[in-house]
Amino acid sequence: MYKFVMVAAVATVLAGQAMAAECTPITEKQVEGLFDRWNTSLATLDPDKVVENYAPDAVLLPTLSNKPRLTQEERRAYFVDFLKKKPQGKIDTRTIKIGCDKVIDTGTYTFTLADGTKVPARFTFSYKFEHGKWLITSHHSSAIPETHS
């Protein structure tokens, strides 16, 4: 019996290590492409295309709303209004952290709106590889506060 327990324990540890070693590979350039995919979906002006980038349980803390968006319907409602401004984002600075099937892309970006207004903001996108693709699991965007001397 002890041999069986020992063999089962070793097999469990090895299986756990094998599972941990099977992370979906991604490069920094590919992470940059995830933002590009999201930004391109904004250009379609179709809120459904934008929402496709988000995991079903994602959290969106948007720039132009105080309300956290916790469902696809809430995220869609936000983008219906936001897309009326025809936003296009441009990354100004970023730091990328890559983990096992998880990525964080954080930094600053500037949105240019249809009327020419520029909105500088801070961002954090976290992604997880699920259902065969990288999806946004959280997205926080906030306007850059006034600078103080």
Side-chain angles (χ1 to χ4, degrees), residues 24 37 51-58 72 75 101 127-137:
T24 305
R37 177 185 74 185
V51 170
E52 287 175 8
N53 293 291
Y54 292 84
D57 61 347
Q72 295 295 54
R75 285 184 284 280
D101 290 341
Y127 300 90
K128 184 175 181 186
F129 192 79
E130 55 184 52
H131 309 296
K133 68 190 275 189
W134 289 94
L135 296 173
I136 299 167
T137 55

Side-chain angles (χ1 to χ4, degrees), residues 50-114:
V50 180
V51 170
E52 287 175 8
N53 293 291
Y54 292 84
D57 61 347
V59 175
L60 169 62
L61 301 173
T63 311
L64 302 178
S65 172
N66 292 330
K67 179 183 176 187
R69 308 302 170 125
L70 304 177
T71 67
Q72 295 295 54
E73 294 78 24
E74 290 175 339
R75 285 184 284 280
R76 184 183 187 288
Y78 172 76
F79 285 113
V80 165
D81 287 334
F82 186 57
L83 292 175
K84 290 176 185 173
K85 298 171 182 12
K86 299 183 180 175
Q88 277 300 286
K90 178 185 166 292
I91 298 290
D92 299 316
T93 66
R94 73 167 8 128
T95 301
I96 294 171
K97 304 285 186 179
I98 299 174
C100 183
D101 290 341
K102 295 178 183 177
V103 173
I104 297 173
D105 185 5
T106 189
T108 59
Y109 51 16
T110 301
F111 280 98
T112 302
L113 307 180

